[in-house]
Amino acid sequence: MKKLKLEFIVGLFFILGLLSLVYLSIEFTRFEMKTKGGYLVIATFENIGGLKVGANVEIAGVPVGIVRNISLEDYRARVELLIRKNVKIPDDSIASIKTKGLLGEKFLEISPGASEEFLKEDEEIIDTQSPLDFEQAIGKFIFGKIE
């Protein structure tokens, strides 16, 4: 019985240590973005579905920025993205809000377009995709309002 308890405690400490490393790596990335700076890009969404300030901005799974601010403008969510200086975003790119892993952490994914023109400071990503609202989709399915 003592051996089982010892193994449980060691396993618990291992999991806590692993989670701590993941947390610290995420925070380090955010701190790096805040200290090194970058340029500001805007994206406007109908619904941000739980996206928070400080969330990662990724291209092909690689963090390239953070969500700096979220505000309401004309009943739409205006999201300000702080992008690393060395990352160029084509002006026909698509910004989507995605969910990462089982915990449901939201992040913003940019799918680069094919344009040779790049976004400059304070310019806007025109094409955006809000996250799927599961409650709304299930409600439509249950009540037969599928379009």
Side-chain angles (χ1 to χ4, degrees):
M1 191 65 156
K2 284 186 176 184
K3 185 176 180 176
L4 182 62
K5 186 176 179 182
L6 178 65
E7 289 175 354
F8 175 76
I9 291 172
V10 169
L12 184 64
F13 275 110
F14 177 76
I15 291 171
L16 288 174
L18 192 61
L19 290 174
S20 297
L21 285 174
V22 169
Y23 174 77
L24 287 174
S25 68
I26 291 170
E27 288 303 312
F28 179 74
T29 302
R30 290 180 183 158
F31 175 75
E32 184 180 75
M33 279 300 303
K34 290 175 186 173
T35 58
K36 287 188 176 179
Y39 64 101
L40 189 69
V41 174
I42 310 298
T44 305
F45 295 88
E46 294 293 326
N47 181 358
I48 57 171
L51 184 72
K52 302 215 180 314
V53 171
N56 280 340
V57 176
E58 298 181 2
I59 296 177
V62 178
V64 296
I66 60 169
V67 174
R68 191 180 87 167
N69 189 32
I70 299 172
S71 60
L72 188 65
E73 188 174 285
D74 296 327
Y75 300 104
R76 293 175 50 119
R78 181 179 191 267
V79 181
E80 296 178 5
L81 314 173
L82 184 60
I83 306 296
R84 288 185 191 153
K85 290 179 184 178
N86 63 337
V87 176
K88 304 294 182 212
I89 300 174
D91 64 0
D92 62 343
S93 297
I94 301 170
S96 311
I97 298 173
K98 305 284 185 173
T99 304
K100 187 178 286 188
L102 297 173
L103 300 177
E105 179 185 353
K106 301 286 185 177
F107 69 99
L108 196 138
E109 180 180 64
I110 297 176
S111 302
S115 175
E116 293 184 15
E117 297 292 319
F118 299 104
L119 292 173
K120 296 175 185 68
E121 178 81 24
D122 289 327
E123 288 190 335
E124 186 171 354
I125 297 175
I126 303 299
D127 196 4
T128 60
Q129 296 176 347
S130 296
L132 176 64
D133 185 351
F134 287 111
E135 291 175 357
Q136 186 179 24
I138 290 171
K140 285 181 180 181
F141 179 75
I142 289 174
F143 297 110
K145 296 181 181 176
I146 299 175
E147 298 170 9

